[in-house]
Amino acid sequence: MRAGCDLAIRGGTLVTASDQFRADLGIRDGKIVEIAAEIADAREEIDATGLMVLPGGIDAHVHLAQPTSDGTVMADDFLTGTRSAAAGGNTTVLPFALQVKGSSLRECLTAYHEKAEGACYTDVSFHLIVSDPTPQVLGQELPALVRDGYSSFKVFMTYDDLVLNDAELLDVFDVARRERALVMVHAEGHDAIKHMTRRLEEEGKTAPYYHAVAHHQIAEREATHRAISHAQLIDVPVMIVHVSGRDPMEQIQWAKKRGMKVFAETCPQYIVLTRDDLKGLNMDFEGAKYVCSPPPRDTDSQDAIWEGLRDGTFDVFSSDHCPFYFEGANETGKDNPRARTSFKWVPNGIPGVETRLPILFSEGVRKGRISIERFVALTSTNPAKLYGLYPQKGALVIGADADITLWDPERKAVITQASLNHGADYTPFEGMEIEGWPVRTILRGQTIAADGEVLEQGRAGRYLSRATSSAW
Ligand code: DUC
Ligand code: ZN
Ligand code: ZN
């Protein structure tokens, strides 16, 4: 006799990256085992009438408990960061294990695993950040790590402590080609940013707003094209992350039109913030709350990003959750004495793992800019495919992990710091009115968050070893 389900989700509308339909969904032993018009027997059930049943959100770009060059402490560790992710409808997050220059990648990775062990509400898997591509790293560590399931890594074209020069980028791309890994590129031109920063400082333009001038869209466009050209030369797929505006996006369209395997990610800050937010109330320090790299641009770029989200220029929509305190104890926040002397000392990054899905749903689906299927593709199915987790994750199919977000498309909410679970002491999206909200997050069949409350017994997140990216 066929075993019954542990849990049946009844009466909802299932939504995938390509389809939506009314069905019940049955779960046994943490897996989806049945999708049918009606499921007969189940030990427990959830009434999902009026709700959408989505594959759990996968946030493929978050920073948690990451070491910084100046000792600034991040506002989220794995405990608070994944708690916030779960409340926001996510079942998997992919943070970065950063190689500190002079250290081995393996060493940094081991330390990072120790931080995550037993602390996660969602499943997690790590991208690597390669900051020191020594012959040992390129020849031995990186190939071995890709084979161990770390199938993606990020490289930076800016930041003193992270930047790789063109020769180093090409070397890393070579390894990615040999090992069939996916390289994520932070594309901003280092020298252009440094030049602009020096000039602005000489002119006394040191307020947070000038971060957006120094990190000019032209510097992002140039670096994006350079990364694409290097990838073309080596014949390797690349993912351009956190694309902020029209100019870099056009470079991606240029490459895609030519059939290159160039993939792209954008984030909430590029559709709902602009560089004017960095002005604060009156060019004051409040603007530091919005300092991130690349910075938000203008309304023309917002329009372009929406076009790109609709037409497939963008493959992935992530938060780039990189949380710092605004105040923070002992000068650990954005508002610290050195940052008051120049924007270049303001920690770059904003929190957003909990608000990513509501913002895209509300601004995108509710306002008719993207379909609900596209929403699922951008926030769950595509990241699962591109980062080697599909179909275990990102899919409502028999045999997949029962990672599910129940979504109320009608629920109205206002984003406020008080209502969020992250560790930061502010949200850059304060006061945003939202329509549509995740009302229950289910990880491998177990409810981990419901109505904004994260369940302590839901701290069941596991580490995921990943397969080769679909980019190959
Ligand atoms: N790059 C990121 O990916 N996140 C935050 C800051 C940065 O420069
Ligand atoms: Zn980056
Ligand atoms: Zn980031």
Side-chain angles (χ1 to χ4, degrees):
M1 200 186 85
R2 198 169 54 82
C5 295
D6 300 331
L7 175 65
I9 298 173
R10 299 189 192 282
T13 300
L14 274 59
V15 186
T16 72
S18 58
D19 207 2
Q20 51 177 301
F21 50 96
R22 243 284 310 128
D24 289 357
L25 186 145
I27 296 165
R28 190 171 58 244
D29 297 331
K31 300 275 184 194
I32 297 172
V33 291
E34 204 174 342
I35 294 174
E38 224 165 294
I39 291 177
D41 51 342
R43 282 196 295 112
E44 269 184 69
E45 48 186 77
I46 294 172
D47 180 6
T49 308
L51 301 179
M52 290 169 162
V53 179
L54 314 178
I58 299 175
D59 196 335
H61 186 151
V62 307
H63 304 264
L64 302 176
Q66 198 174 286
T68 56
S69 56
D70 61 0
T72 309
V73 180
M74 274 202 163
D76 274 315
D77 55 17
F78 281 89
L79 193 75
T80 58
T82 60
R83 181 192 288 153
S84 181
N90 300 285
T91 49
T92 299
V93 299
L94 282 85
F96 294 84
L98 178 146
Q99 180 196 21
V100 178
K101 262 202 169 94
S103 314
S104 91
L105 253 177
R106 188 67 88 169
E107 234 168 67
C108 298
L109 194 53
T110 303
Y112 206 56
H113 270 291
E114 279 166 16
K115 293 185 192 182
E117 187 64 37
C120 295
Y121 289 85
T122 64
D123 282 357
V124 295
S125 188
F126 303 159
H127 309 290
L128 308 170
I129 289 177
V130 182
S131 69
D132 201 0
T134 61
Q136 161 79 9
V137 166
L138 294 172
Q140 285 159 46
E141 284 203 323
L142 207 42
L145 287 169
V146 175
R147 288 170 213 165
D148 283 354
Y150 303 91
S151 53
S152 52
F153 36 85
K154 183 176 176 190
V155 290
F156 284 76
M157 298 173 76
T158 188
Y159 292 126
D160 287 335
D161 52 333
L162 297 171
V163 62
L164 302 190
N165 62 33
D166 286 350
E168 291 170 325
L169 287 173
L170 290 159
D171 284 344
V172 173
F173 285 12
D174 258 338
V175 177
R177 177 176 160 78
R178 273 200 302 277
E179 301 300 330
R180 292 155 51 88
L182 183 60
V183 193
M184 308 160 78
V185 184
H186 180 126
E188 288 190 289
H190 191 52
D191 288 340
I193 292 170
K194 292 234 309 197
H195 182 91
M196 292 296 286
T197 299
R198 202 177 326 113
R199 204 168 81 190
L200 288 161
E201 285 179 338
E202 280 164 12
E203 292 167 4
K205 294 175 175 167
T206 57
Y209 171 73
Y210 294 104
H211 168 83
V213 182
H215 286 247
H216 206 282
Q217 194 172 174
I218 295 172
E220 186 183 349
R221 183 197 69 198
E222 177 278 322
T224 301
H225 189 83
R226 187 152 39 99
I228 289 169
S229 300
H230 291 346
Q232 185 182 17
L233 195 63
I234 304 296
D235 190 20
V236 67
V238 277
M239 167 71 74
I240 310 294
V241 293
H242 46 49
V243 176
S244 72
R246 184 181 292 280
D247 294 357
M249 193 186 92
E250 283 175 355
Q251 300 303 309
I252 290 153
Q253 290 172 326
W254 179 90
K256 284 195 177 210
K257 263 193 217 124
R258 285 161 178 76
M260 288 177 223
K261 286 191 172 181
V262 171
F263 300 87
E265 172 203 76
T266 192
C267 314
Q269 47 271 37
Y270 308 122
I271 52 174
V272 295
L273 301 178
T274 69
R275 67 170 164 251
D276 283 351
D277 287 301
L278 278 78
K279 289 181 175 166
L281 297 173
N282 183 22
M283 290 299 274
D284 64 6
F285 208 76
E286 286 289 306
K289 290 181 175 173
Y290 306 88
V291 167
C292 58
S293 288
R297 306 296 182 189
D298 54 17
T299 51
D300 174 64
S301 274
Q302 289 182 345
D303 293 346
I305 299 281
W306 278 116
E307 274 164 45
L309 285 166
R310 242 190 327 271
D311 71 13
T313 303
F314 291 108
D315 304 283
V316 177
F317 187 83
S318 311
S319 67
D320 194 3
H321 178 78
C322 187
F324 294 101
Y325 302 102
F326 180 62
E327 288 176 349
N330 306 319
E331 299 173 4
T332 53
K334 284 173 175 269
D335 190 0
N336 66 70
R338 198 156 67 141
R340 290 242 173 195
T341 69
S342 169
F343 60 85
K344 79 174 175 211
W345 302 117
V346 178
N348 284 201
I350 58 174
V353 71
E354 195 167 342
T355 44
R356 170 185 76 125
L357 295 172
I359 288 174
L360 187 64
F361 187 89
S362 187
E363 290 296 311
V365 181
R366 286 303 292 204
K367 293 194 175 168
R369 291 166 162 140
I370 57 169
S371 68
I372 181 66
E373 292 87 354
R374 186 91 190 110
F375 173 84
V376 169
L378 286 160
T379 58
S380 180
T381 307
N382 290 356
K385 289 180 177 174
L386 283 160
Y387 295 113
L389 291 168
Y390 191 83
Q392 181 190 353
K393 303 290 188 187
L396 297 181
V397 294
I398 307 297
D401 281 359
D403 292 358
I404 286 153
T405 301
L406 298 185
W407 197 274
D408 183 346
E410 310 288 338
R411 170 89 63 109
K412 289 191 169 63
V414 177
I415 296 176
T416 61
Q417 166 63 12
S419 64
L420 297 177
N421 292 268
H422 63 200
D425 53 0
Y426 78 99
T427 166
F429 308 111
E430 184 74 35
M432 251 194 91
E433 293 178 2
I434 297 288
E435 259 186 65
W437 201 261
V439 290
R440 189 190 281 252
T441 313
I442 299 170
L443 174 67
R444 280 181 268 99
Q446 187 184 345
T447 295
I448 56 170
D451 290 320
E453 289 295 314
V454 181
L455 308 180
E456 193 47 41
Q457 69 270 25
R459 210 164 94 198
R462 293 181 189 159
Y463 186 80
L464 306 167
S465 182
R466 289 179 290 119
T468 302
S469 165
S470 63
W472 286 96

